[in-house]
């Protein structure tokens, strides 16, 4: 999809569909001189008939509008003016793309006026349109009926008043890069585990790094053995697919500080649970157990193009958690790279085992700040549902900075506690640490505490994205399947590093 920005009068915008926003209350209509005033009567009639109320994401379409160059005029509900933000606009852009594609519309114009003709709103519109254009139908074979090609929107044009300032084109471009990188993450997560093995994930990272000019190093089993990564290697034992640790480096030409931000992503390409096997119902979804890896790689792709002022290194441990006669057993004791011993009480708590060694490796390689993303626990969905990323930290200042980045990127995040008391759940008689907490309490917090044992003392934030990285149902603005969550927050954090 091509993204364009134009300042021509709205009436002259050529598009298959030209859209403008309308709030729930009539006099809150965000209109300015360029609004298609010929259609005032049409909008008033829609409102009195009840066909259009201005509720969020509601649309009405008028064909062959008089006085406009566009083939269709679309009014889209913007909800309550007082509650309107970039979050709603991002979703409105996505809703336009998703509701109009496949209906003969290939080009869309969206009018942004007044306060909305600003960099942050243009960025959000660009992101929403590109994210809305993505479909999880890569492996469907009938292109006429269902494919993305047949349904896709060719161009999305943001129309702003002629007086708007020149930074809007840069905002549009930034939005495109970020959203295409979010879709890059979604493409990886969407791949089934027979296609996306750890080796294939490493190859995808290598290819992306070469295209974007990032340094890339992939550690294989031999090197990881030499480094003593017993915790990661234990998880890989059950699979014929070899494990890897992918390392990507972005280095700024003129660094603003000596800080080294590490992004760490869980890359379990399939999680059967191992010997502590998962129930078969829904197990197919465990191909998304590498969504943390996808988010980190997506963020690196965007950062390579947007060039933040600090060094960012990605660490992506990737394994397949399988059952076999070679698989790790409950009760096995492994020694992590840090020297700590771990009793593997449950082979399904494998994410923290691979992350432990990746965190140690990040620390040994000079990370000054670490943020990890992992589909770590089912319990995070019990605590927060599907709407918030669960966030944990050993450093409140870093988490505050991350939460600010997430808020500006439009990704909801909620902090969970990490009081010392929770460590009581991680007592172990046979090794330094068990890989699960005792009992069923606070499963996401005990998992975070386990990670913290390997992140300390470096300032660190852990994101549990198990309940937010996959959408069971599509929304009007985004398809079902991989969400690409955390990419935008990572990018915002690095770009606005202070
Ligand atoms: N990959 C899962 C977590 C998960 C669950 C992700 C549901 C996405 C959706 C993780 O490896 C896991 O199995 N965690 C266990 C931990 C338990 C054994 C302490 C869980 O959440 O049940
Ligand atoms: Zn698991
Ligand atoms: Zn897992």
């Amino acid at each position: 999809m091509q993204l364009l920005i134009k300042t021509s009068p709205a009436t002259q915008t050529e598009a298959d569909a030209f859209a403008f926003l309308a709030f729930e209350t009539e006099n809150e209509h965000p209109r300015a001189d360029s609004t298609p005033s010929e259609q005032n009567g049409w909008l008033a009639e829609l409102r009195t008939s009840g066909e259009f109320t201005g509720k969020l994401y509601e649309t009405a379409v008028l064909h062959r509008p008089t006085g406009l160059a566009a083939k269709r005029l679309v009014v889209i509900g913007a909800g309550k003016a007082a509650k309107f933000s970039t979050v709603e606009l991002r979703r409105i852009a996505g809703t336009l793309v998703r509701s109009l594609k496949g209906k003969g519309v290939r080009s869309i114009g969206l009018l942004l006026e007044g306060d909305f003709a600003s960099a942050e709103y243009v960025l959000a519109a660009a992101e929403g349109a590109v994210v809305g254009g993505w479909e999880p139908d890569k492996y469907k074979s009938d292109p006429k009926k269902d494919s993305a090609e047949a349904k896709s929107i060719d161009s999305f044009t943001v129309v702003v008043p002629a007086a708007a300032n020149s930074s809007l084109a840069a905002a549009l471009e930034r939005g495109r890069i970020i959203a295409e990188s979010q879709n890059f993450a979604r493409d990886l997560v969407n791949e089934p585990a027979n296609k996306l093995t750890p080796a294939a994930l490493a190859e995808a990272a290598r290819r992306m790094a070469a295209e974007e000019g990032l340094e890339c190093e992939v550690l294989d089993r031999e090197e990881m053995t030499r480094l003593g990564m017993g915790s990661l290697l234990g998880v890989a034992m059950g699979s014929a697919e070899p494990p890897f640790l992918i390392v990507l480096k972005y280095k700024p030409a003129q660094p603003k500080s000596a800080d080294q931000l590490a992004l760490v992503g869980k890359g379990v390409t399939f999680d059967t649970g191992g010997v502590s096997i998962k129930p078969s119902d829904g197990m197919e979804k465990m191909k998304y157990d590498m969504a943390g890896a996808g988010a980190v790689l997506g963020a690196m792709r965007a950062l390579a193009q947007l060039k933040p002022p600090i060094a960012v290194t990605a660490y992506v441990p990737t394994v397949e958690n399988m059952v076999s006669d070679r698989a790790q057993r409950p009760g096995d004791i492994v020694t992590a790279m840090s020297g700590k011993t771990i009793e593997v009480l449950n082979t399904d708590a494998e994410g923290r085992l691979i992350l432990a060694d990746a965190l140690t490796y990040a620390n040994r390689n000079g990370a000054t700040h670490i943020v990890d993303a992992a589909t770590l626990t089912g319990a995070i969905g019990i605590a927060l549902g599907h709407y918030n990323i669960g966030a944990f930290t050993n450093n409140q200042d870093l988490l505050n900075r991350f939460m600010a980045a997430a808020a500006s990127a439009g990704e909801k995040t909620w902090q969970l506690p990490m009081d010392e008391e929770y460590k009581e759940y991680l007592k172990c008689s046979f090794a330094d640490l068990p890989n699960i907490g005792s009992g069923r309490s606070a499963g996401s917090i005990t998992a975070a505490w386990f990670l913290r044992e390997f992140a300390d003392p470096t300032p660190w934030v852990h994101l549990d994205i198990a309940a937010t990285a996959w959408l069971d149902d599509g929304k009007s603005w985004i398809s079902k399947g991989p969400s690409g969550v955390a990419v935008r927050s990572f990018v915002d954090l690095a770009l606005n590093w202070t």
Side-chain angles (χ1 to χ4, degrees):
M1 182 192 304
Q2 217 191 344
L3 288 177
L4 302 163
I5 189 153
K6 287 203 176 133
T7 55
S8 61
T11 48
Q12 285 167 32
T13 304
E14 287 188 27
D16 290 338
F18 178 73
F20 68 98
L21 313 177
F23 290 112
E24 277 179 33
T25 318
E26 224 157 323
N27 55 15
E28 284 173 342
H29 192 314
R31 63 180 44 244
D33 297 343
S34 56
T35 306
S37 54
E38 310 241 347
Q39 269 69 45
N40 278 347
W42 173 62
L43 186 58
E45 237 171 78
L46 283 175
R47 286 196 194 266
T48 35
S49 68
E51 277 169 86
F52 181 85
T53 64
K55 236 176 63 192
L56 268 173
Y57 318 128
E58 183 184 44
T59 57
V61 181
L62 177 70
H63 283 249
R64 292 198 279 134
T66 39
L68 292 194
K71 290 193 188 131
R72 297 170 188 76
L73 182 63
V74 178
V75 56
I76 183 156
K80 298 204 163 40
K83 283 195 182 166
F84 194 80
S85 74
T86 52
V87 170
E88 285 73 26
L89 186 67
R90 189 180 286 104
R91 292 178 176 182
I92 280 174
T95 301
L96 285 171
V97 168
R98 283 177 57 72
S99 63
L100 294 170
K101 70 181 166 186
K103 291 187 180 162
V105 173
R106 317 282 313 209
S107 57
I108 297 175
L110 171 63
L111 181 63
L112 292 182
E113 300 175 298
D115 291 348
F116 307 125
S118 69
E120 53 168 358
Y121 278 100
V122 168
L123 176 102
E127 288 178 348
V130 173
V131 167
W134 188 91
E135 293 286 339
D137 58 359
K138 176 176 170 192
Y139 291 102
K140 278 184 162 287
S141 47
D142 185 349
K144 273 187 228 82
K145 263 187 15 220
D146 290 323
S147 91
E149 281 79 29
K151 288 199 282 188
S152 68
I153 299 291
D154 298 331
S155 72
F156 188 96
T157 304
V158 176
V159 181
V160 292
N165 72 56
S166 59
S167 67
L168 300 189
L172 188 87
E173 175 65 0
R174 192 201 262 217
R176 181 186 65 78
I177 292 168
I178 295 170
E180 285 178 358
S181 299
Q182 182 175 343
N183 287 349
F184 172 82
R186 296 165 86 195
D187 277 332
L188 289 174
V189 178
N190 191 46
E191 287 296 321
N194 61 327
K195 311 266 186 210
L196 195 88
T197 58
L201 183 62
E203 193 42 47
R206 247 198 218 106
R207 199 175 328 119
M208 184 273 282
E211 277 166 17
E212 306 295 343
L214 296 168
E215 268 178 49
C216 176
E217 191 190 352
V218 178
L219 280 63
D220 62 10
R221 183 165 1 221
E222 207 177 307
E223 284 164 284
M224 292 191 282
T225 306
R226 198 170 47 74
L227 290 164
M229 296 186 173
S231 185
L232 187 159
L233 293 168
V235 178
M237 272 170 47
S239 175
E241 296 293 339
F244 297 97
L245 177 59
I246 304 162
V247 183
L248 297 185
K249 286 195 177 130
Y250 162 78
K251 287 185 184 139
Q254 249 125 41
K256 213 162 75 179
S257 81
D259 289 347
Q260 298 264 356
L261 176 62
L263 301 179
V264 180
K266 172 178 173 182
V268 175
T269 59
F270 196 77
D271 184 8
T272 64
V275 172
S276 314
I277 196 164
K278 286 183 181 295
S280 54
D281 231 21
M283 201 202 274
E284 72 283 354
K285 267 173 58 182
M286 279 302 115
K287 69 172 187 177
Y288 90 91
D289 213 15
M290 39 58 69
V296 166
L297 295 175
M300 292 304 286
R301 180 189 179 279
L303 293 174
Q305 297 183 34
L306 295 171
K307 306 198 186 310
I310 55 143
V312 186
T313 307
Y315 298 92
V316 175
T318 177
V319 302
E320 186 181 50
N321 189 23
M322 291 296 272
V323 212
S324 80
D325 64 330
R326 295 287 82 209
Q328 159 164 275
R329 296 140 291 248
D332 282 6
I333 293 177
V334 295
T335 304
M337 183 184 178
S338 74
K340 287 197 167 98
T341 57
I342 303 162
E343 186 181 18
V344 181
L345 292 177
N346 190 315
T347 62
D348 196 11
E350 84 298 339
R352 62 198 80 178
L353 293 172
I354 67 168
L355 289 168
D357 283 336
L359 290 168
T360 302
Y361 191 72
N363 267 330
R364 299 268 175 95
N365 282 279
T368 60
H369 301 76
I370 305 176
V371 186
D372 80 67
T375 47
L376 204 63
T377 67
I380 200 65
I382 306 298
L384 298 177
H386 297 294
Y387 301 113
N388 272 280
I389 298 173
F392 307 79
T393 193
N394 61 359
N395 183 293
Q396 195 59 43
D397 177 55
L398 182 61
L399 181 58
N400 291 346
R401 286 160 64 190
F402 178 84
M403 302 262 279
S408 95
E411 295 188 315
K412 286 177 186 281
T413 309
W414 196 260
Q415 181 175 10
L416 281 93
M418 287 209 71
D419 306 275
E420 296 282 331
E421 284 91 328
Y422 289 102
K423 265 168 88 173
E424 292 294 316
Y425 294 129
L426 285 179
K427 288 233 167 94
C428 185
S429 310
F430 304 102
D432 299 336
L433 279 170
N435 78 326
I436 57 170
S438 55
R440 285 160 46 84
S441 307
S444 303
I445 301 176
T446 51
W449 255 112
F450 180 95
L451 296 182
R452 180 169 173 173
E453 296 285 343
F454 301 88
D456 273 339
T458 307
W460 153 85
V461 166
H462 158 57
L463 306 175
D464 195 332
I465 58 169
T468 44
W470 187 269
L471 301 166
D472 285 324
D473 302 303
K475 314 265 186 208
S476 68
W477 60 88
I478 191 170
S479 84
K480 71 187 283 182
S483 67
V485 76
V487 171
R488 297 204 308 265
S489 298
F490 281 153
V491 172
D492 198 285
L493 178 71
L495 287 179
N496 298 305
W497 194 258
T498 43

